[in-house]
Amino acid sequence: MDSTTAVPAQPGGKSGVLINRNFALLFAGFSISSIGDFVFTTTLVLWIAVRLTAGLSWSPLAVSGALLAASVPIFLVGPLAGVFVDRWNKRGTMLRAAVFQAVAVALLLGVSGIVPVPGMLGGQLPIRWTLGVIYGVVFLVNAANQFNNPASMALLGDIVNEPERARAAGLTQVVSALAVIIGPPVAALLFVFGVQWALLLDAASFVVAFGCVLLIRAPRAAVSVAQGERGHFAREFGQGFAFFFRSRVLVTLLIAALLAMLGAGALNALDVFFVTGKDYLNQPASLYGFAGAAQGVGILLGAIVASALAYKFGLTRTIWVAVLILGATIVAWSRMTLFIPALITLFIGGIAQAALNVAAGPLLLAVTPRELVGRVTAVLQPLITGASLISIALAGYLVSTVLVGFHASAFGVRFGPIDSIFLVAGGLIILSGLYAMVMWRGVRVAAPKADGAGEAGTTTPAPEAVPVVG
């Protein structure tokens, strides 16, 4: 971004709790849309698993389809979108994305049963057509996010002065954790009254976010890619690719993340069936949201603790210890039969997940030149997403086909299809932690200096901590 077009975010005086007016608006839009997103995601899982495909053997595969539709845009659109966002007005990009997402979610109202579909038996589309519409909308909403995310990051840099950006990131991390806590239970409660209410809430959250961004008095976003640099996307991306695979720290981070996501993706696809299945926790669908809330409380606590201790403990050590704990909690989760102990297990897993997220961003920034951070991220994120896609698809396929009716026992312990997959998933995550522990032995990353703005080790908002509309 051309710094000559930027104006001071706070031209003097002491900043408030929300730093300044512009950030307060961005923060408000992010908060509302984050809650809306978790309501939307939880609603779709319940809608597909409990209403559309209830009792069908391929129900887990149908849920996996929605998760795949949400992840594919990160893999396909994400690496390309950043190039165009750099050339567009950042605030305008966010406004257009919010409108697009609100309209896309509103389209689902047509298949939610709120109005009868003309010419269809019972006024509703066949199940497979309804699933197709759901998958399409999920894809479009998340494709728009691939433009919105980098635009919001750039806008944050325009409206918040550098010394205050870490505080801005901390505030958004807290809201993200609170959204995990609030969103799923709200979705579960709204689901009792009808899926359309949750869809309306999410569409309204995009409208509110649009209004907040519209009120921001941001500097005119400049075209940050110089005229002479256009058309060199492949060359510049290749430079980041080459740097990435020459770095021992980054390659270890990637391999560990790939192993972990090959396990973790299965949980996203099958959790709802584990909570509601009669052979597992056997809880009503209305309590499914509280599983996510328990994890969210752990994430909130873990983010606070890890932010204070990650550098003292060591970034690499924080990551591999957190991964080992996370894998162990998933193994424990696979053996749960009582709901309250299961929630406690998810709470502990949330703490470990937060510690992992807090340390990963600063580690990447500490070993990557500033001018390569975007391209290194463009290498890392799609590969990790690809592993998640494989895990989600494989888990849904196995439970819906190969493992239908599977039951086994060993040493007096009984195993079914879902808990067996969770057990393998936890083992893969533990394996990734052990790999990182061995490969990072002797690696130390120094804490950033208090006055080290602009230095390699300086912490800046990680992508997942930046306000994102929708």
Side-chain angles (χ1 to χ4, degrees), residues 246-312:
R246 288 196 302 264
S247 169
R248 171 187 169 190
V249 172
L250 292 177
V251 170
T252 299
L253 181 64
L254 173 63
I255 295 175
L258 291 177
L259 286 171
M261 290 311 299
L262 283 173
L267 272 72
N268 295 329
L270 303 177
D271 265 351
V272 64
F273 302 101
F274 189 79
V275 172
T276 60
K278 63 179 182 179
D279 293 329
Y280 303 106
L281 295 181
N282 195 26
Q283 299 298 314
S286 59
L287 293 182
Y288 169 65
F290 290 95
Q295 186 177 25
V297 173
I299 291 173
L300 179 60
L301 177 61
I304 296 171
V305 174
S307 296
L309 300 179
Y311 273 107
K312 295 179 181 178

Side-chain angles (χ1 to χ4, degrees), residues 267 294-300 302 322-330 332-333 342-357:
L267 272 72
Q295 186 177 25
V297 173
I299 291 173
L300 179 60
V323 171
L324 289 176
I325 294 174
L326 184 60
T329 60
I330 292 174
W333 166 255
L343 294 183
I344 295 174
T345 301
L346 290 177
F347 168 76
I348 297 172
I351 295 175
Q353 181 180 334
L356 171 61
N357 292 338

Side-chain angles (χ1 to χ4, degrees), residues 57 219 239 249 259 308 317 328 378 385 415 421 438 444:
S57 63
Q239 291 173 345
V249 172
L259 286 171
R317 185 186 300 171
T385 301
F415 297 92
I421 289 178
V438 172
R444 296 290 183 270

Side-chain angles (χ1 to χ4, degrees), residues 243 250 364-376 456:
F243 172 83
L250 292 177
L364 185 147
L365 291 170
V367 301
T368 306
R370 293 182 68 120
E371 65 272 14
L372 290 176
V373 168
R375 280 167 279 180
V376 165

Side-chain angles (χ1 to χ4, degrees), residues 194-240:
V195 66
Q196 62 269 17
W197 294 107
L199 297 177
L200 285 170
L201 178 62
D202 191 51
S205 73
F206 288 119
V207 174
V208 172
F210 174 90
C212 291
V213 175
L214 185 65
L215 293 173
I216 292 175
R217 298 169 186 166
R220 181 176 58 85
V223 176
S224 61
V225 177
Q227 185 68 32
E229 294 176 347
R230 292 193 180 187
H232 293 287
F233 173 86
R235 184 190 68 190
E236 294 177 12
F237 186 84
Q239 291 173 345

